[in-house]
Amino acid sequence: MLQMKLCGDLVLRTECAPVDRITPELLSTMDEMVNMMREQNGVGLAAPQIGALSRFLVMLDPDSETVYRMINPKILSYGDKTCTMEEGCLSVLGNDGLPVFSNVTRPETVVVEWMDEAGNIKTAQMSGLPGRIVQHETDHLDGKLFIDYLSPIKREMLMRKVKKLKK
């Protein structure tokens, strides 16, 4: 059973190592992550959020219901236009146990490359919600959280609402 890591856990601040080979264990973990993401009404989940320090993630395009299982994803380019939208994270929960949200500005469009479960290299331009989700999730693989994009004052206000990590 996978366990969600919460804000304050150092694993969320650690850069992940590339996946060197696709194993049955990796594929099984990614399937469990998809289930966990759906159960928690999320749209993305990256390996560090379950304590794995490897570069893989799962995400859902809410519009098409397409589930992406990305191994070693890499954003190749960012569009010039930016967009501000509300973001939350399954690892950044309030005292009520629900994700806290804040507006984050990101590029509207990205080109991302990844390896699928069969080892095939895929490339896609993603914009709108999928573009935002893939940026949020790849940030996790680099030890970055959406709160890092907030001004110090906004981050401080948001962190007052965040449930303290239980030791």
Side-chain angles (χ1 to χ4, degrees):
M1 183 78 179
L2 301 180
Q3 180 110 21
M4 184 69 70
K5 300 298 179 186
L6 298 178
C7 191
D9 192 314
L10 292 180
V11 73
L12 295 173
R13 294 305 194 165
T14 305
E15 189 171 342
C16 295
V19 172
D20 54 5
R21 57 191 197 97
I22 299 170
T23 63
E25 293 79 22
L26 172 66
L27 298 177
S28 173
T29 298
M30 291 177 92
D31 287 342
E32 284 184 65
M33 286 170 67
V34 170
N35 293 335
M36 183 181 216
M37 173 183 71
R38 287 184 186 278
E39 285 168 8
Q40 297 191 20
N41 296 315
V43 291
L45 196 57
Q49 292 180 273
I50 57 144
L53 290 174
S54 296
R55 296 189 78 81
F56 64 91
L57 62 87
V58 298
M59 63 174 266
L60 171 71
D61 176 344
D63 299 327
S64 67
E65 289 293 312
T66 302
V67 173
Y68 293 90
R69 291 168 172 83
M70 298 182 169
I71 301 166
N72 297 330
K74 182 171 31 183
I75 295 179
L76 302 177
S77 65
Y78 297 87
D80 294 333
K81 287 177 67 179
T82 60
C83 175
T84 301
M85 289 175 69
E86 200 172 58
E87 280 188 39
C89 181
L90 296 175
S91 290
V92 184
L93 305 178
N95 288 317
D96 57 4
L98 298 172
V100 294
F101 292 88
S102 188
N103 284 331
V104 175
T105 301
R106 293 186 185 267
E108 214 171 85
T109 304
V110 294
V111 175
V112 62
E113 176 184 270
W114 72 96
M115 192 176 358
D116 69 12
E117 307 103 314
N120 302 310
I121 300 295
K122 304 278 189 178
T123 306
Q125 179 173 314
M126 295 185 171
S127 58
L129 215 40
R132 177 160 298 264
I133 296 165
V134 78
Q135 289 177 75
H136 178 109
E137 299 307 330
T138 55
D139 274 352
H140 275 300
L141 303 179
D142 294 325
K144 200 168 187 181
L145 299 173
F146 82 96
I147 58 176
D148 298 340
Y149 291 94
L150 305 179
S151 70
I153 288 174
K154 277 191 174 174
R155 186 169 43 246
E156 175 70 27
M157 287 170 50
L158 184 132
M159 291 309 290
R160 285 190 192 141
K161 300 178 193 170
V162 172
K163 188 179 194 173
K164 299 296 178 247
L165 180 69
K166 291 189 173 73
K167 301 282 178 200

